[in-house]
Amino acid sequence: MCFLSSVSFALLLISVCPSESLLQGDSSSVWLQRLNGTHQQTGVFPRGFLWGIGSSAFPTEGSWDADGKGASIWDHFTLQSPAGASSDSYIQWEEDLKAVQFLGVDFYSFSLSWPRLFPDLTLNPNPAGVEHYRRLIRKLKELNVEPVVTLFHWDLPQVLQERLGGWLNSSMVGVFADYAEFCFRTFGDEVRFWITMHNPFLVAVQGYGTGAHAPGVKGERGDPFIAAHNLIRAHAKAYHVYDKLFRARQNGKVSISLGSHWVEPLHGQATPTNLELCQKSMEAVIGWFAEPIYGSGDYPESLKSANRGVIPEFSAAERLWVRGSADFFSVAFGPETLRVSRGLARFGQTVALELRSVLVWVQQAYGDPLVLVAESGWFSDASVGVEDTLAIYLNKRFILQVMQAVSVDAVRVFGYTAWSLLDGYEWNQGFSVRRGLFYIDFSQSERRRVPKTSAHFYRQTVRDNGFPDTDTKHIQARFPCHFQFGVSDSILQVRLHPFSPQFTDPHLYRWNFSGDGSLKPVNGIILHTRPAQCTDFLFIQRHLFLLGVTGSTHYRFSLDWTQLSPSAGHPETLRFYRCVFSELQRRGIQPVVTLYHPSYRSSSLGLPEALHANGGWRNASTVDAFVRYATFCYREFGALVHMWITINEPNRLTDAYSGSADDRRVVARHLLLAHAKAWRAYDVYFRKQQGATVSLALHADWVEPANPFLESHKNAQQHFLLFELGRFIDPLYNQESSSSTLIGWSDDEREELRGALDFIALNHFTTRLVSPWAHLKASTPDHGCSLMNDVNWQTSQMGQALVPWGLRRMLGWVKNRYGNRLPIIITASGVDDQAAYHDQLRQSYIRDYLQEALKARELDGVNLRGFYIWKLQDHHDLQFGLFSSAAHHSRPKASASLYRDIISHRGFISSGDPCQSADEDGTSCEICAHIAENKPLLFFSVCVFVSVCMICVLIILSVLRKRRRKRRKTLSVPQRVPVPQRFPMMRVTHRLRH
C-alpha cells in the first residue's frame, strides 16, 4: 500500500505538460551517447582520494530512552516493532571504531541524534549526549580518521512534530538553524565536513506524502512540497550561520546530501520525447533540491509547471539566499531512493543502478562541482550472514562506476562513502534487511561486530585505492611459424546442391537467343563427358572461399555420423567429403576433423537414429558402433587428415541425458571408452602409414571463486575444474582424481585409457564465478556447484561474459596439472555479436583473447600450439560467425579482417623482426616466414624483374638486329673507287704540266 502511494505521488511530480525548459546545463546529453569505458574493470583513484564508511544514529545507536535522550519521530513510528537496542552503538561506540579501523578508511560519516542532544523544546542540551559525541569525535581524530558529521538524518525530535507539526511548519527553519549553530560551536573545531541533512527527498515524499516513513503523514497534495520548501530553507539558513560565524575560524565545509535515482529511456531510444521524460524524472528527485541550491535558486521549471498552485515559491531574496548554499555536491545513491523512484519510470522508462550516469548528469547540469558520494551500497536479505557474496559485486559495481566517472568523464569526485558500517534497524523495513559491512546477530545480547566478506572486499579496495591491474600489460610478440590459426565449425552438412552439371550432360543445346531465350537440345548429337569433378559441388567452392578470406591455416569441422554409417555410406557423401579435403589441401589449409559433434538441435543428439533409439550413450553398444565408424573414417579419409578429434565436448554431452547422477556417470564412462578405443584403433592400424594425431575436445571455461575471501569457494573452484576437465583428462593422462575415480574403472579399462591422447584440445569461451551449492537437494548439479557472472563484466547479447584473462588462467591450470609434454590447442573460442558489420564486441574478443593466449605461451611457458575462432559463418541470425549467413549474402564482418591481419603478422608486431621459429631439426624458418609475410610484394617484385629483363632482352635483340641489317646492306652494294684513286697518274701529269 505504501509503495502504491509513493507511485501515485511520484506521478504527480512529473505530470505530462507542455515543456517550458529543462535545466540550464547540457545534462540531457547523458542519454544521447553511451558513456565511454563502460566496461573498465581495473584502475586506481587519484592520490588523495578519500575513502569512507557511513552510518546513521537511529538504525544503529539503540538506547532510545537512555541518559536523558528524548523520543524521535522514528521511535514513535516504530512502537509496534521497536528498534530496541538495535546495534547498540551508543554503548559499543568503541567497538564501532575498531570496525572503522579494520576497514582502514579516511573518514567516518555518522549522524548526530537530534533528540539525544535536545530532548525537549528547551534550549538546554543533554550533557550525556554532548559528551558521547565529543568522545566519538575526539577518538576518531586520535585514530587519524576524519569525522563527517550529519546534523539531521531523519530522526526529528517527536516533540517538534507534536508541537509544531514538523517540517510542515516554517518555524522549523529557525529551530534547525539554532540546533545547527549549537553543533557547529560545540564540535566544529574538530570537524572539517558537515552535512546538514541526508536525503531530504525521502523526508518530504515518504514522511509527508505517502506516510511510509516517519512521521507517517498522509496529508494534502501540497504537504510534501511545503516540507521540502522548509527543508531547503532550513539548510540554507544553517549554511549561512556557519559561513558567517564559524568558517573563518574552523575552516570547514558544509553541504547537503541529495538522494538520486537514474532512469533509462523507453527501449533505450533517445528521442526528444523520451529525453524530456527522463530529464523530468531526474528533476523531480535530485533536481527538486539541487536546482535551488546549485542552479538557478528556484525549482526546476518542469516541476513548477506540473504543480502550479501547489508548490511554494521562493522570493527573489530567498533565491539569492538559497543559491550557492553548499561548498560541494553530496550525492546519496541508495536503495530507498531507487525504490521510491520506480514510480517515476513512466512510459517504459526503467530505473537503473547507474551511479556513474548520475555523477555525469550532476557534472553537466551544475557546472562541474566537487562531489562527495555520501551514500553508496545495497542491501541483503536478513537471512544472509557473513558470507554476503552478492553484496561484494554490487559494491564493486558502484565503486567501478565512480572510478569511471573520475577517470573517463573527469567528474571531480573527491570521496566515496560505503554504506553502512553495521547491520541495524533499517527504518521502515526494520530487521528484514541488512546493509552493514559488519554482521550483527540481533538474537544475541552482545551485539558482536563480525566483518562480512564485503568488509574484507572494501578493506582491500581501500588499501589498493581501487582495482589495480595485476595482469601483464599488452605484449608485442609473435606466435611461432608452426602455430595453428584456425576456424572451427560444427557439423559440415553434406550439400549436394547446388550442383554444376555442365561437364556431365552429353547433349548439345541450341540457344534461342532472339526468341524466348530457351535451350533446346540438338537431336542426334552426343558429346563426350568427363568424370565427376570436385568443382561440381558449388557449395564447397563458396564455403572455402570464405575460409580463405580469413587467412586461416587450419579448418576444424565435424563429419556427419548419420550419413557416414560404414554399412550404409552414400557414395556421394563420401565424394563430397573427399572433395572438401582435397580442396582444402589445394588451398594450403589443413583440415582438423571431428568424428562426432553432438547436435543439441537434433532429437538424436547427432547419433544415427538406431543408436539413439537403443539408448544412445547409455548403451555400451554405442561404443562399439563409434569405433567401427571411426575406423571407417580413418580408412576413407585418413590420407588427407593430419589431426582428428574423436568427440566434441563429452563433458557437456553428459548433461543432455536426464536421470540420476549414476546414469550420467555411465554416459561419461562410455564416451571415454569410445574415445580410447577409437584412439587405439588409429594407433594400431593407421598411425604408421598416415601419421596423424588424435584427441578429444573438452569444454574448458575458467571459473573463479565467487567469494575470494572464503576457503569453501576456493575449494569449489578446484572441485569444479577437476569435475569438468580432470574427470576426462586424468584417466587418459594416467592420473587419479576424485572425479575420475567416481566412474569406477577396471584394471583393463585403465590400461586401455592410459596414454590415449596425443594433444589436449580445449574449447574456451568465457569465465564464470563458482561457489558451493547452497542447498543440497535433488536438483543439485552433478558437480555440486553454483555458477554466476560478475555483474560488472562485459557481456554479449546471449549473456556470455568477456573475461580474456580467464583463458590465460585456464591454460596455466592445465600446464600446472599436466605439464608441457602434450601440446595444447584451443579448438574453439568466440562470442556472439549481433552487429551486421561493425562487430566491435567480437573484434575486442579476438584481439584480447589472442593476446592472453600469447602471454600464456611467451610469459608462462605454456605449450600452446593453436587457436581456432568459432565460427566461420552464421547459420541464420547474426551471432558467432565471421561472415553473415547466406540469407544475408555471406558478407564478411570487420572481425574477419582483424583476424586475417593478426594471422598475417602472426601476432601483435606490425613491423620489425619477422617471426622466429624452428623446425624439428632446429633450423630457422626465418626466410620462409619472410616470404610468407610478403607474398604480394614478392610477387610484384618478381613481375617487375621479369618485365625489366624482358624489356632489356628486347632492346638488345633490337640493337643486334639493326646492326646485322646494316652489315648486310654494306656487303650487297658494289664497291666504287673514287675518281682520284682510279686515275692517280692524271694528277701527276697535271702537276708536271704546270
Side-chain angles (χ1 to χ4, degrees):
M1 187 67 184
C2 294
F3 174 70
L4 293 175
S5 300
S6 64
V7 170
S8 60
F9 175 74
L11 295 179
L12 291 174
L13 295 179
I14 58 168
S15 299
V16 178
C17 56
S19 175
E20 296 185 18
S21 67
L22 299 175
L23 294 182
Q24 295 179 356
D26 191 25
S27 54
S28 61
S29 65
V30 181
W31 293 285
L32 288 174
Q33 55 187 359
R34 295 185 63 84
L35 299 175
N36 295 325
T38 303
H39 302 289
Q40 178 185 359
Q41 295 293 305
T42 58
V44 294
F45 285 83
R47 183 177 298 178
F49 187 84
L50 301 178
W51 295 95
I53 185 69
S55 69
S56 54
F58 172 76
T60 60
E61 281 189 353
S63 303
W64 72 275
D65 58 351
D67 292 342
K69 178 186 176 295
S72 72
I73 57 174
W74 277 95
D75 294 323
H76 185 266
F77 189 71
T78 58
L79 283 177
Q80 299 303 317
S81 54
S86 188
S87 309
D88 203 24
S89 288
Y90 180 72
I91 303 298
Q92 299 194 49
W93 63 273
E94 290 179 293
E95 296 301 313
D96 290 354
L97 297 192
K98 289 179 182 178
V100 171
Q101 276 187 290
F102 174 86
L103 297 174
V105 293
D106 301 302
F107 66 87
Y108 177 39
S109 177
F110 63 93
S111 70
L112 305 176
S113 174
W114 190 346
R116 193 176 295 283
L117 291 173
F118 290 94
D120 51 40
L121 287 178
T122 68
L123 297 179
N124 299 321
N126 175 20
V130 173
E131 183 57 27
H132 168 71
Y133 292 118
R134 275 182 173 155
R135 286 196 308 264
L136 178 61
I137 294 172
R138 190 182 306 120
K139 188 62 176 179
L140 283 170
K141 300 297 284 188
E142 291 176 7
L143 298 174
N144 291 320
V145 177
E146 194 68 39
V148 176
V149 181
T150 300
L151 297 174
F152 171 60
H153 195 136
W154 307 355
D155 53 344
L156 184 73
Q158 176 65 21
V159 65
L160 293 178
Q161 181 65 35
E162 293 174 351
R163 301 285 182 87
L164 302 179
W167 290 105
L168 295 178
N169 193 324
S170 60
S171 63
M172 281 294 300
V173 175
V175 173
F176 181 77
D178 292 339
Y179 163 61
E181 181 179 349
F182 170 81
C183 295
F184 294 150
R185 179 177 295 106
T186 306
F187 310 116
D189 289 339
E190 295 182 293
V191 177
R192 286 177 53 205
F193 296 99
W194 291 96
I195 304 295
T196 57
M197 306 170 179
H198 187 89
N199 205 342
F201 169 80
L202 290 179
V203 176
V205 172
Q206 296 285 74
Y208 295 91
T210 68
H213 280 193
V217 174
K218 299 177 183 178
E220 301 295 328
R221 178 190 169 191
D223 285 355
F225 296 104
I226 295 171
H229 196 70
N230 290 330
L231 285 162
I232 293 172
R233 292 166 66 237
H235 153 75
K237 189 164 186 177
Y239 174 86
H240 287 291
V241 165
Y242 187 86
D243 195 52
K244 180 179 180 181
L245 302 178
F246 301 101
R247 187 184 299 278
R249 178 167 57 87
Q250 297 178 354
N251 199 29
K253 296 183 182 298
V254 181
S255 187
I256 178 173
S257 289
L258 302 182
S260 185
H261 68 316
W262 183 254
V263 290
E264 292 292 342
L266 175 65
H267 304 314
Q269 298 173 354
T271 63
T273 301
N274 286 345
L275 289 182
E276 183 176 355
L277 288 170
C278 288
Q279 185 77 351
K280 285 180 177 180
S281 181
M282 294 298 293
E283 291 174 3
V285 182
I286 187 171
W288 185 358
F289 296 85
E291 183 63 14
I293 297 170
Y294 299 96
S296 63
D298 201 355
Y299 297 116
E301 286 298 327
S302 62
L303 196 66
K304 292 195 296 183
S305 299
N307 299 279
R308 293 198 186 279
V310 176
I311 190 168
E313 296 182 2
F314 290 111
S315 66
E318 283 180 326
R319 286 196 292 270
L320 293 175
W321 181 61
V322 170
R323 185 180 183 185
S325 58
D327 298 320
F328 56 91
F329 202 111
S330 182
V331 175
F333 194 75
E336 280 292 323
T337 307
L338 293 171
R339 189 179 295 112
V340 175
S341 300
R342 287 175 187 157
L344 304 180
R346 299 195 66 191
F347 309 113
Q349 294 171 349
T350 56
V351 175
L353 298 179
E354 291 294 335
L355 176 54
R356 177 188 178 189
S357 298
V358 173
L359 296 173
V360 174
W361 188 88
V362 167
Q363 176 198 50
Q364 296 179 358
Y366 300 114
D368 194 20
L370 284 170
V371 179
L372 171 68
V373 178
E375 176 192 353
S376 178
W378 207 243
F379 63 89
S380 300
D381 189 77
S383 61
V384 176
V386 296
E387 299 182 6
D388 57 340
T389 301
L390 290 176
I392 289 177
Y393 293 98
L394 286 168
N395 287 329
K396 180 182 177 183
R397 177 189 182 103
F398 294 134
I399 296 173
L400 279 171
Q401 289 176 352
V402 176
M403 183 177 69
Q404 293 159 7
V406 172
S407 61
V408 180
D409 309 311
V411 181
R412 297 197 298 158
V413 181
F414 67 88
Y416 178 88
T417 312
W419 202 273
S420 67
L421 179 65
L422 309 170
D423 288 337
Y425 189 87
E426 291 299 328
W427 309 103
N428 57 320
Q429 296 184 74
F431 293 121
S432 65
V433 299
R434 296 178 178 272
R435 293 198 63 189
L437 297 184
F438 284 78
Y439 173 81
I440 292 180
D441 186 348
F442 295 107
S443 66
Q444 301 295 322
S445 59
E446 301 85 24
R447 300 295 200 262
R448 192 165 61 92
R449 281 88 168 111
V450 181
K452 301 180 185 179
T453 52
S454 57
H456 290 278
F457 161 77
Y458 190 57
R459 179 190 190 187
Q460 179 178 309
T461 304
V462 171
R463 183 173 61 244
D464 294 339
N465 197 31
F467 308 102
D469 189 358
T470 56
D471 289 332
T472 308
K473 299 294 185 182
H474 184 96
I475 64 172
Q476 294 285 324
R478 295 178 189 267
F479 291 98
C481 294
H482 61 262
F483 193 82
Q484 302 174 20
F485 288 100
V487 173
S488 185
D489 267 331
S490 57
I491 299 173
L492 185 63
Q493 299 289 348
V494 177
R495 307 280 183 89
L496 301 180
H497 300 282
F499 188 77
S500 174
Q502 55 184 335
F503 298 109
T504 59
D505 188 349
H507 296 96
L508 177 68
Y509 292 88
R510 183 174 56 198
W511 184 15
N512 188 1
F513 178 77
S514 60
D516 58 3
S518 63
L519 293 173
K520 296 181 179 180
V522 178
N523 297 325
I525 299 179
I526 301 297
L527 302 176
H528 293 290
T529 60
R530 59 159 208 192
Q533 303 289 320
C534 288
T535 53
D536 297 341
F537 299 109
L538 299 183
F539 166 79
I540 295 177
Q541 308 302 320
R542 296 171 183 173
H543 191 72
L544 297 190
F545 171 78
L546 301 183
L547 181 64
V549 170
T550 68
S552 299
T553 62
H554 290 69
Y555 180 43
R556 180 195 168 204
F557 62 92
S558 176
L559 304 176
D560 190 347
W561 187 358
T562 62
Q563 297 193 46
L564 281 174
S565 173
S567 59
H570 195 282
E572 283 298 291
T573 300
L574 292 174
R575 191 166 78 86
F576 175 86
Y577 282 125
R578 287 195 188 102
C579 285
V580 172
F581 295 135
S582 61
E583 284 297 305
L584 285 169
Q585 190 176 53
R586 187 176 68 82
R587 296 167 186 262
I589 300 173
Q590 290 291 331
V592 179
V593 180
T594 303
L595 293 172
Y596 174 54
H597 190 117
S599 174
Y600 299 103
R601 295 179 179 178
S602 168
S603 60
S604 67
L605 298 175
L607 289 171
E609 286 293 340
L611 293 177
H612 179 70
N614 202 28
W617 288 104
R618 292 191 183 97
N619 196 318
S621 63
T622 305
V623 176
D624 298 327
F626 179 77
V627 176
R628 291 194 297 271
Y629 162 64
T631 304
F632 172 78
C633 293
Y634 297 151
R635 184 174 59 251
E636 294 292 334
F637 311 122
L640 298 171
V641 178
H642 297 290
M643 288 180 65
W644 293 95
I645 301 291
T646 55
I647 303 171
N648 185 70
E649 298 188 355
N651 53 342
R652 283 290 180 269
L653 180 57
T654 56
D655 297 335
Y657 285 85
S658 59
S660 67
D662 290 336
D663 292 336
R664 288 185 286 275
R665 274 195 288 271
V666 169
V667 171
R669 176 195 187 88
H670 290 160
L671 287 167
L672 266 173
L673 287 174
H675 160 75
K677 289 177 180 293
W679 187 93
R680 294 289 172 195
Y682 188 87
D683 193 56
V684 172
Y685 301 110
F686 300 98
R687 190 184 298 275
K688 187 174 181 180
Q689 295 82 12
Q690 298 175 359
T693 54
V694 183
S695 184
L696 79 171
L698 297 173
H699 192 97
D701 286 342
W702 180 243
V703 289
E704 282 286 308
N707 195 321
F709 305 101
L710 295 174
E711 283 299 320
S712 60
H713 287 224
K714 295 177 183 178
N715 294 335
Q717 177 194 32
Q718 294 304 313
H719 176 78
F720 182 85
L721 291 171
L722 288 175
F723 184 86
E724 282 286 281
L725 299 180
R727 182 170 51 137
F728 289 87
I729 300 179
D730 286 0
L732 304 174
Y733 215 82
N734 194 26
Q735 285 191 215
E736 291 290 336
S737 69
S738 58
S739 296
S740 63
T741 54
L742 284 175
I743 297 178
W745 304 106
S746 68
D747 292 339
D748 291 340
E749 288 170 338
R750 285 194 181 92
E751 187 60 33
E752 186 160 37
L753 291 167
R754 185 179 294 117
L757 200 66
D758 296 325
F759 59 93
I760 298 175
L762 306 175
N763 299 340
H764 176 88
F765 292 87
T766 187
T767 293
R768 306 289 300 278
L769 300 174
V770 66
S771 62
W773 189 260
H775 305 287
L776 295 177
K777 51 187 177 182
S779 60
T780 305
D782 292 345
H783 49 66
C785 299
S786 296
L787 296 173
M788 59 178 281
N789 273 351
D790 184 340
V791 295
N792 304 292
W793 287 340
Q794 184 180 12
T795 56
S796 68
Q797 188 80 13
M798 296 175 66
Q800 179 182 328
L802 274 70
V803 192
W805 48 260
L807 171 61
R808 183 180 177 188
R809 296 186 186 183
M810 169 57 74
L811 292 171
W813 185 89
V814 172
K815 178 201 169 189
N816 291 337
R817 183 166 180 82
Y818 303 108
N820 262 347
R821 182 174 65 83
L822 294 181
I824 302 173
I825 298 174
I826 302 299
T827 45
S829 186
V831 69
D832 62 289
D833 192 326
Q834 276 63 44
Y837 176 74
H838 295 289
D839 51 349
Q840 298 292 338
L841 189 71
R842 184 179 295 105
Q843 292 182 66
S844 175
Y845 183 99
I846 293 174
R847 187 185 303 109
D848 294 343
Y849 275 68
L850 272 169
Q851 177 66 207
E852 293 300 314
L854 187 59
K855 291 176 187 176
R857 180 181 172 86
E858 296 297 315
L859 303 181
D860 306 332
V862 176
N863 187 13
L864 183 64
R865 298 289 185 87
F867 189 96
Y868 291 67
I869 292 295
W870 178 271
K871 61 183 189 166
L872 182 63
Q873 189 173 15
D874 292 326
H875 186 61
H876 291 296
D877 298 329
L878 295 165
Q879 286 188 357
F880 286 86
L882 296 171
F883 292 81
S884 62
S885 65
H888 292 83
H889 310 292
S890 302
R891 292 190 179 96
K893 303 173 187 177
S895 55
S897 176
L898 170 69
Y899 190 43
R900 180 183 180 88
D901 185 61
I902 293 175
I903 294 173
S904 67
H905 295 105
R906 306 204 71 82
F908 297 91
I909 296 180
S910 58
S911 61
D913 295 333
C915 71
Q916 299 288 332
S917 182
D919 57 21
E920 295 178 357
D921 300 326
T923 57
S924 172
C925 69
E926 179 177 344
I927 296 175
C928 62
H930 188 74
I931 291 173
E933 291 178 5
N934 297 279
K935 286 181 181 178
L937 179 61
L938 181 63
F939 178 76
F940 178 74
S941 301
V942 170
C943 291
V944 171
F945 177 75
V946 171
S947 300
V948 171
C949 290
M950 291 182 64
I951 292 172
C952 291
V953 170
L954 289 173
I955 292 174
I956 293 171
L957 290 175
S958 178
V959 171
L960 291 176
R961 188 176 297 171
K962 286 183 179 180
R963 288 180 179 178
R964 194 178 295 118
R965 285 177 180 175
K966 187 179 289 185
R967 189 176 299 126
R968 286 177 181 174
K969 285 182 179 180
T970 304
L971 292 174
S972 62
V973 177
Q975 291 187 355
R976 299 179 64 184
V977 181
V979 173
Q981 294 181 8
R982 282 185 293 169
F983 304 102
M985 294 304 296
M986 292 179 63
R987 286 203 305 260
V988 176
T989 305
H990 181 75
R991 288 177 188 162
L992 291 174
R993 287 178 180 177
H994 290 81

